Amino acid sequence: MRTQLRRVGILGVGFVALASLGCAADELDSDDWDESNDVGEISVAGRWLPSAGATAAADRQYARYDDSLPWSGGRNCGGSLLVGTRELGDYLRGAFRGVRSYDGYACRANTANTAQTSMHGTGRALDVFIPTLSGGAADNTVGDAVANWLIANAASLGVQLVIWDRSIWNASRAPGTKLRAYGGPHPHNDHLHIELNTDGAARRTTWFRDRSAATSPTTTTTPAPTPTPTPTPTPTPTPTPAPTSTPAAPRMRVVSGGLNLRRAAGTSGAIITAMPCGGAVTVIGGPSSGWYDVDYNGTRGWCSGTYLTPEASFRASVCGG
């Protein structure tokens, strides 16, 4: 029997069948992110396009993308929403008009990659429901405000991914490439799919310690105008601040010959290739139970951290060089 997502409603709403908001359990299963669902830059009018202010703020954000663990028959499911995930859901329900309920936890395999646990099974994913307008159109007045606030404050929240109204935003991508059209089977016109990384879900990011770390929900869509400076007879030159940049991903070296690059964390993951001693990898995520999500010469996969060392401390003599 399929495990349905658990809904949290306001007082008086209680538990409601998933189909009551026009979003059946099978449709919710399509929330699982797969890169093939990203269909490139946005070119179709009508989908979620963040405001100019939210876009500028979002391009300054970086949040690490933490993938789920292997499915392993459900042994890696978290059991419930994690504390940070639930706290964010409660905040969105109270802070934004039109948000009446959210759900999120379901122990199941990822529908895009059945070898992995669904992000809903990790306890780090939320579905925040926005009732559609007549004809089934997304209520962008309500949903866009939520989505814009999430992406403008992704770093302090630990938000790694947002899907809303046929668009997908990934906080780990480079500035200018974070937003793409979403081509999954459900258009996400009646709910936002929100994922937290492990730090956000565990309340280790700044917003959970200090709510002022994030901009107000009412200030992300229309940035305040820049005041015109008053000229002075002898102005003092102001140094131009250095441009901000996305932190460089850490580099590590392989210290064992024939280290396997796998499709999933753990020895049960299928082997993609074997990496030679001294091979350089770029760390994308982890560690997760001692395994790292890495890029090796343009190929992404998982490898054991036991046989990796930071590039700065690598010595060729380890490999017999």
Side-chain angles (χ1 to χ4, degrees), residues 90-115:
D90 289 341
Y91 177 81
L92 296 177
R93 191 179 59 190
F96 289 90
R97 178 186 64 81
V99 175
R100 291 292 179 267
S101 62
Y102 67 86
D103 55 36
Y105 181 75
C107 182
R108 56 175 173 79
N110 185 310
T111 55
N113 178 4
T114 56

Side-chain angles (χ1 to χ4, degrees), residues 27-225:
E27 294 173 324
L28 291 179
D29 287 350
S30 66
D31 282 333
D32 292 315
W33 176 58
D34 179 68
E35 195 157 1
S36 65
N37 290 334
D38 296 6
V39 296
E41 295 303 318
I42 292 192
S43 59
V44 180
R47 68 180 75 250
W48 166 47
L49 290 174
S51 66
T55 297
D59 270 346
R60 295 191 294 269
Q61 307 297 309
Y62 174 82
R64 183 186 67 251
Y65 188 92
D66 293 330
D67 209 343
S68 59
L69 292 175
W71 171 234
S72 299
R75 288 190 294 274
N76 289 318
C77 286
S80 65
L81 288 180
L82 296 180
V83 60
T85 316
R86 186 176 297 280
E87 185 170 332
L88 178 60
D90 289 341
Y91 177 81
L92 296 177
R93 191 179 59 190
F96 289 90
R97 178 186 64 81
V99 175
R100 291 292 179 267
S101 62
Y102 67 86
D103 55 36
Y105 181 75
C107 182
R108 56 175 173 79
N110 185 310
T111 55
N113 178 4
T114 56
Q116 296 290 111
T117 303
S118 167
M119 198 62 69
H120 284 293
T122 68
R124 295 191 281 117
L126 283 173
D127 284 317
V128 173
F129 289 92
I130 310 293
T132 58
L133 304 175
S134 59
D139 188 344
N140 295 99
T141 301
V142 176
D144 285 14
V146 179
N148 289 349
W149 181 79
L150 289 167
I151 68 173
N153 297 291
S156 65
L157 296 166
V159 168
Q160 65 181 25
L161 193 80
V162 176
I163 308 174
W164 163 242
D165 190 21
R166 297 169 291 160
S167 295
I168 182 170
W169 186 89
N170 189 325
S172 66
R173 295 190 184 278
T177 68
K178 297 177 185 292
L179 185 72
R180 297 186 179 186
Y182 178 71
H186 190 285
H188 289 69
N189 59 328
D190 60 0
H191 72 282
L192 292 91
H193 174 75
I194 305 160
E195 295 178 9
L196 297 181
N197 59 24
T198 53
D199 288 337
R203 303 184 74 256
R204 291 193 294 264
T205 54
T206 55
W207 181 79
F208 293 97
R209 298 189 298 270
D210 179 9
R211 292 291 173 87
S212 67
T215 57
S216 163
T218 61
T219 60
T220 56
T221 56
T222 306

Side-chain angles (χ1 to χ4, degrees), residues 217-264:
T218 61
T219 60
T220 56
T221 56
T222 306
T226 303
T228 303
T230 302
T232 58
T234 55
T236 301
T238 302
T240 301
T244 59
S245 60
T246 301
R251 297 266 294 178
M252 302 184 82
R253 292 291 191 102
V254 177
V255 294
S256 173
L259 177 60
N260 288 327
L261 182 70
R262 298 177 180 272
R263 295 193 183 279

